[in-house]
């Protein structure tokens, strides 16, 4: 598994802070490459929004966060103009919307506001689509078999098709591979150059871990880096020393950057296709009912790239995000915050700060060591300061948080996975909010993985809300319980407790840490089934399960509120965007006592609409559609 890191070493390598993007940000966003990425294809050609009266089936507009149904909804000019009974809507449409069409849902077909992903990483995810996918996921499900042998089969079967001198892979996740036994104790598998050589010892391989904290290299790749980077040759003197000291486990920017620089041209060449990859990402989102994505780590380059994309491509999803600040200098350069009044693609709603790493990557910052190897590992905190004792909050971290909130007046989202990182985030919020004078801010803690009752109370009093990476329970819960945390896993993603305390919560995928899919996230929050358990259906902390109604609110109404988008999306209120999804079945009907049959993620998405325009139609379920019916092709 990944090596231990003393807490005095800074590290920001999680999906929120992509190390590949760090290495390439100057080159990728250069004028030359931006010209190649956006080849002047003109303005996006938008279909005219349809004027419709939709009735029948089940319609839940989620107005005011209520899951109550209405008989009908009317849309015109890309917005909702009326909801109510069928007679009321028809009368309104006849008086105000001449030439409207009628659309009738049948049976259990269900119309909901477009589903929201409140924490994703669009540009890094798209940029790395050309890398070989070595993740444990098949769609939204865990692969039936995921081990070194299956990963090796993928790599070796694709070698003839991979351009460039080095195999580049992404999403490798040792925490979801079968456990090994060590002195009668379960441990996570360790990946090093010797292990990777058993997969292929002839072709150089660089495989990025799912946590993005470690870059794994086989011996050939270590030799390649040594021969192509003078700095590495100067530091280690011999290739044998480089191999023996790193063992093919390159950690953090200090070790990863020199290796990634040797394949920089290869990565840039693959990144030129980013428009096509973004289109694929948005199409996937639409196919899962998503109409809004909030990026939890934008910078100026990614903002420009996304903005240019939407100038030349149809807007399949609404987008906003948080501006990533990694240093006090970043914060000092901020303008004072102004809440967005009008929607525009890639608007800013928050500042983002990453305080630690990934729990499944063993880099989330903990108050006590992880149970598994390496011994005495408490993870990483990203704001170290010399002379500060362990588990003492660094003054520089407090200063940075205070500058964002109290001085600049920005809403803040802090990435905090480990329980010690959550404690530091709460303490920093308390200090800064005590000095803040201004309108109420929608401050967040991202992932907020391990919580106590006292921390929930403190967050509630401060108005700080959590956004849970619920895949921690569904996908990784078994590994957390069996190997990584033991009983401490009961503290994971306390959705029920936070709602019971009166907080508003959201669920997110952190894509591409876990797959896009709000229906899947709803299911995992409702069932809390640990999907990796090979022998039985086992629930992690039954008391924390959500009701289907609570889960639906978390991916619609409250998600819009948390992202400062609740003036435009999250419900089908009059004047809001006509962004909605039509499902084959009502997710709230899946209330069966038998958790085994709650497969909410498998409900077919029939249609997804953005601004009164169909952006996805499921032709496997509905009739085939023409190009005029649907925006699906890439205009790049």
């Amino acid at each position: 598994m990944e090596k231990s890191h003393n807490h005095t070493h800074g590290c920001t390598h999680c999906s929120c802070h992509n190390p590949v993007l760090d290495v390439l940000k100057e080159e990728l966003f250069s004028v030359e490459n931006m010209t190649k990425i956006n080849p002047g294809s003109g303005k996006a050609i938008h279909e005219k929004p349809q004027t419709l009266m939709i009735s029948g089936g089940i319609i839940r507009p989620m107005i005011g966060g209520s899951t109550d149904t209405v008989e009908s909804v009317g849309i015109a000019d890309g917005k909702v103009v009326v909801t109510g009974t069928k007679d009321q809507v028809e009368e309104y449409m006849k008086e105000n919307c001449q030439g409207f069409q009628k659309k009738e849902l049948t049976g259990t077909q269900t119309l909901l506001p477009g589903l929201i992903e409140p924490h994703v990483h669009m540009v890094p995810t798209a940029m790395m689509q050309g890398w070989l996918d070595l993740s444990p996921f098949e769609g939204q499900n865990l692969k039936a078999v995921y081990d070194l042998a299956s990963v090796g089969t993928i790599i070796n079967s694709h070698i003839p098709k991979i351009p460039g001198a080095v195999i580049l892979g992404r999403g490798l996740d040792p925490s979801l591979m079968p456990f090994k036994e060590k002195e009668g104790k379960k441990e996570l598998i360790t990946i090093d150059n010797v292990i990777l050589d058993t997969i292929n010892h002839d072709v150089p391989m660089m495989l990025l871990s799912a946590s993005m904290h470690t870059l794994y290299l086989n011996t050939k790749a270590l030799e390649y880096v040594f021969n192509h980077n003078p700095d590495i040759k100067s530091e280690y003197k011999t290739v044998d020393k480089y191999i023996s000291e790193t063992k093919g486990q390159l950690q953090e920017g200090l070790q990863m950057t020199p290796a990634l620089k040797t394949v920089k041209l290869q990565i840039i060449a693959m990144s030129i296709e980013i428009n096509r990859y973004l289109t694929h990402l948005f199409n996937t989102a639409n196919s899962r009912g998503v109409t809004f994505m909030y990026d939890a780590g934008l910078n100026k380059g990614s903002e420009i790239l996304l903005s240019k994309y939407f100038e030349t491509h149809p807007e399949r999803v609404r987008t906003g995000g948080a501006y990533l600040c990694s240093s006090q200098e970043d914060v000092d350069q901020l303008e004072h915050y102004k809440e967005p009044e009008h929607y525009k693609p890639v608007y800013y709603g928050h500042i983002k700060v990453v305080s630690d790493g990934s729990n499944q990557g063993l880099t989330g910052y903990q108050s006590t060591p992880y149970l598994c190897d390496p011994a005495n590992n408490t993870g990483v905190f990203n704001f170290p300061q010399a002379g500060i004792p362990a588990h003492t909050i660094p003054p520089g971290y407090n200063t940075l948080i205070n500058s964002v909130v109290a001085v600049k007046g920005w809403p803040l989202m802090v990435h905090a996975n480990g329980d010690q990182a959550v404690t530091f985030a709460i303490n920093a919020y308390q200090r800064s909010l005590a000095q803040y004078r201004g309108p109420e801010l929608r401050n967040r803690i991202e992932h907020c993985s391990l919580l106590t009752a006292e921390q929930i109370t403190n967050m509630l009093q401060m108005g700080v809300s959590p956004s849970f990476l619920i895949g921690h329970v569904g996908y990784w819960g078994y590994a957390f319980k069996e190997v990584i945390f033991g009983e401490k896993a009961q503290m994971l993603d306390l959705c029920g407790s936070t709602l019971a305390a009166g907080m508003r919560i959201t669920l997110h995928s952190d894509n591409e840490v876990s797959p896009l899919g709000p229906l899947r996230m709803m299911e995992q929050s409702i069932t809390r089934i640990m999907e990796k358990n090979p022998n039985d259906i086992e629930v992690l902390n039954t008391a924390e399960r959500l009701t289907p109604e609570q889960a639906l609110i978390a991916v619609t109404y409250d998600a819009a509120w948390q992202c400062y988008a609740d003036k435009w999306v999250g419900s089908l209120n009059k004047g809001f965007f006509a962004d909605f999804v039509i499902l084959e079945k009502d997710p709230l009907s899946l209330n069966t006592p038998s958790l085994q049959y709650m497969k909410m993620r498998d409900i077919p998405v029939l249609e997804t609409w953005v601004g009164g325009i169909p952006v996805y139609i499921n032709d496997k379920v509905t009739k085939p559609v023409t190009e005029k019916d649907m925006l699906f092709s890439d205009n790049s």
Side-chain angles (χ1 to χ4, degrees):
M1 193 55 197
E2 298 170 4
K3 292 180 183 177
S4 172
H5 292 278
N6 187 282
H7 71 278
T8 57
H9 294 293
C11 171
T12 51
H13 295 137
C14 60
S15 181
C16 301
H17 202 101
N18 186 302
V20 180
L21 196 57
D22 272 359
V23 170
L24 299 178
K25 62 185 177 183
E26 299 300 329
E27 293 88 348
L28 181 63
F29 300 125
S30 68
V31 174
E32 179 185 2
N33 276 333
M34 290 297 282
T35 301
K36 292 178 183 177
I37 290 171
N38 292 279
S41 55
K43 295 292 182 182
I45 299 173
H46 293 283
E47 293 287 334
K48 184 179 179 181
Q50 297 188 24
T51 304
L52 282 180
M53 172 185 171
I54 308 174
S55 305
I58 300 164
I59 300 175
R60 300 187 189 276
M62 302 300 294
I63 296 170
S66 168
T67 58
D68 292 345
T69 62
V70 298
E71 290 183 0
S72 186
V73 59
I75 64 173
D77 298 322
K79 294 187 176 181
V80 179
V81 293
V82 61
T83 59
T85 67
K86 191 170 183 179
D87 289 343
Q88 288 170 337
V89 172
E90 186 164 15
E91 181 180 354
Y92 180 94
M93 297 299 285
K94 284 179 178 178
E95 291 181 2
N96 299 280
C97 305
Q98 296 298 316
F100 71 93
Q101 302 294 310
K102 290 184 178 181
K103 184 178 181 69
E104 194 75 16
L105 306 182
T106 60
T108 60
Q109 291 181 352
T110 302
L111 187 149
L112 301 170
L115 307 180
I116 295 173
E117 282 273 6
H119 180 133
V120 295
H121 300 277
M122 292 178 279
V123 171
T125 298
M127 185 186 73
M128 297 183 68
Q129 284 304 295
W131 294 43
L132 196 56
D133 181 5
L134 304 176
S135 76
F137 302 109
E138 190 72 50
Q140 298 185 72
N141 297 315
L142 289 171
K143 292 178 178 177
V145 176
Y146 183 69
D147 53 22
L148 285 171
S150 65
V151 167
T153 298
I154 293 171
I155 292 172
N156 288 317
S157 65
H158 281 81
I159 284 177
K161 310 170 192 174
I162 297 173
V166 177
I167 297 170
L168 298 178
R170 58 181 167 85
L172 188 64
D173 196 339
S175 68
L176 286 175
M177 291 183 178
F179 308 137
K180 65 180 182 181
E181 292 283 337
K182 180 183 177 183
E183 299 174 355
K185 179 185 172 187
K186 293 177 181 176
E187 291 285 354
L188 302 181
I189 192 168
T190 300
I191 296 178
D192 57 20
N193 66 302
V194 176
I195 291 289
L196 292 184
D197 286 347
T198 65
I199 291 175
N200 193 300
H201 57 81
D202 296 320
V203 181
M205 300 188 300
M206 296 186 187
L207 313 179
L208 188 62
S209 68
S211 71
M212 301 197 186
H213 182 75
T214 303
L215 189 67
Y216 299 106
L217 281 71
N218 65 351
T219 302
K220 276 290 184 183
L222 290 168
E223 292 171 351
Y224 182 90
V225 172
F226 184 84
N227 292 327
H228 288 80
N229 192 314
D231 293 335
I232 290 295
K233 189 171 288 189
S234 173
E235 179 180 354
Y236 289 92
K237 309 303 181 188
T238 68
V239 68
D240 289 341
K241 186 179 180 184
Y242 183 49
I243 294 170
S244 65
E245 291 195 9
T246 66
K247 296 182 171 59
Q249 299 172 317
L250 304 187
Q251 311 282 1
E252 309 181 14
L254 190 65
Q255 291 185 329
M256 296 169 75
T257 297
L260 290 169
K261 282 184 175 179
T262 65
V263 290
K264 184 168 64 174
L265 294 179
Q266 185 176 340
I267 296 172
I268 290 173
M270 297 162 75
S271 299
I272 298 301
E273 295 289 316
I274 196 166
N275 271 349
R276 182 165 62 85
Y277 295 144
L278 281 170
T279 298
H280 174 74
L281 174 67
F282 297 145
N283 285 341
T284 300
N286 292 157
S287 73
R288 294 176 188 171
V290 175
T291 60
F292 182 98
M293 300 171 77
Y294 198 71
D295 195 295
L298 293 169
N299 58 31
K300 290 299 183 186
S302 56
E303 176 198 359
I304 292 170
L305 190 149
L306 285 168
S307 297
K308 286 183 175 293
Y309 174 89
F310 289 119
E311 287 176 6
T312 55
H313 295 73
E315 190 176 12
R316 292 174 173 84
V317 294
R318 312 282 179 189
T319 52
Y323 184 73
L324 181 65
C325 287
S326 303
S327 67
Q328 186 64 45
E329 182 182 6
D330 291 341
V331 175
D332 291 341
Q333 293 174 358
L334 292 173
E335 300 289 335
H336 283 271
Y337 178 69
K338 291 182 180 179
E339 182 178 334
E341 289 297 323
H342 304 286
Y343 172 76
K344 68 170 185 175
V346 209
Y347 73 90
Y348 283 125
H350 289 81
I351 295 302
K352 173 70 176 295
V353 171
V354 181
S355 70
D356 68 341
S358 151
N359 289 336
Q360 63 269 30
L362 307 185
T363 52
Y365 193 42
Q366 311 294 343
S367 59
T368 56
Y370 290 92
L371 295 186
C372 53
D373 285 342
N376 301 315
N377 172 32
T378 56
V380 195
F381 195 67
N382 295 336
F383 295 88
Q385 189 162 330
I388 299 296
H391 300 127
T392 302
I393 189 166
Y397 177 67
N398 272 330
T399 300
L400 185 141
I401 301 300
N402 187 71
S403 298
V404 172
V405 176
V407 179
K408 300 290 188 174
W410 274 85
L412 178 64
M413 51 199 299
V414 178
H415 166 118
N417 258 314
D419 66 325
Q420 190 64 58
V422 172
T423 296
F424 282 1
I426 290 173
N427 290 344
Y429 270 131
Q430 286 175 324
R431 289 182 174 92
S432 60
L433 288 170
Q435 302 176 50
Y436 173 71
R437 300 293 180 267
E440 185 176 342
L441 300 177
R442 301 173 193 178
N443 293 313
R444 303 166 48 168
I445 297 181
E446 304 308 292
H447 315 323
C448 206
S449 301
L450 300 162
L451 278 174
T452 65
E454 181 182 4
Q455 289 174 328
I456 291 172
T457 299
N458 290 336
M459 290 173 65
L460 177 66
Q461 291 172 345
M462 293 186 294
V464 174
S465 63
S467 186
F468 294 116
L469 174 54
I470 194 62
H472 277 150
V473 172
Y475 294 134
W476 290 278
Y478 187 66
F480 284 137
K481 184 178 82 73
E482 293 293 311
V483 178
I484 297 173
F485 287 138
E487 279 302 308
K488 190 176 176 180
Q490 297 295 314
M491 299 167 60
L492 195 67
D493 289 357
L494 300 186
C495 300
S497 293
T498 47
L499 276 180
M503 299 172 72
R504 300 174 78 168
I505 72 168
T506 64
L507 310 172
H508 69 258
S509 66
D510 199 12
N511 186 248
E512 90 176 325
V513 169
S514 74
L516 294 172
L519 289 174
R520 182 268 304 172
M521 297 187 298
M522 288 176 62
E523 179 196 317
Q524 289 177 327
S525 71
I526 295 164
T527 69
R528 292 182 70 94
I529 291 173
M530 294 182 285
E531 299 170 28
K532 192 62 178 176
N533 188 332
N535 302 315
D536 198 8
I537 291 176
E538 186 179 1
V539 175
L540 180 62
N541 199 342
T542 304
E544 295 302 323
R545 292 185 301 194
L546 298 185
T547 67
E549 289 79 9
Q550 290 170 330
L552 179 59
I553 292 168
V555 300
T556 55
Y557 190 77
D558 281 353
W561 168 82
Q562 203 179 53
C563 297
Y564 283 94
D566 54 329
K567 295 183 287 290
W568 317 306
V569 299
S571 71
L572 297 176
N573 213 340
K574 182 177 180 179
F576 282 32
F577 289 130
D579 299 354
F580 58 90
V581 59
I582 300 174
L583 307 175
E584 188 174 76
K585 186 184 298 184
D586 181 10
L588 302 195
S589 70
L590 296 183
N591 228 344
T592 170
S594 177
L595 298 178
Q596 186 172 4
Y597 300 107
M598 295 191 70
K599 288 294 183 183
M600 202 170 281
R601 74 189 74 180
D602 296 331
I603 296 175
V605 175
L606 303 182
E607 301 177 19
T608 304
W609 293 61
V610 172
I613 300 170
V615 293
Y616 172 80
I617 295 181
N618 188 338
D619 57 9
K620 294 179 182 177
V621 180
T622 57
K623 66 178 179 64
V625 292
T626 66
E627 188 173 341
K628 183 179 179 182
D629 294 319
M630 181 179 66
L631 295 173
F632 200 76
S633 61
D634 182 9
N635 289 349
S636 62

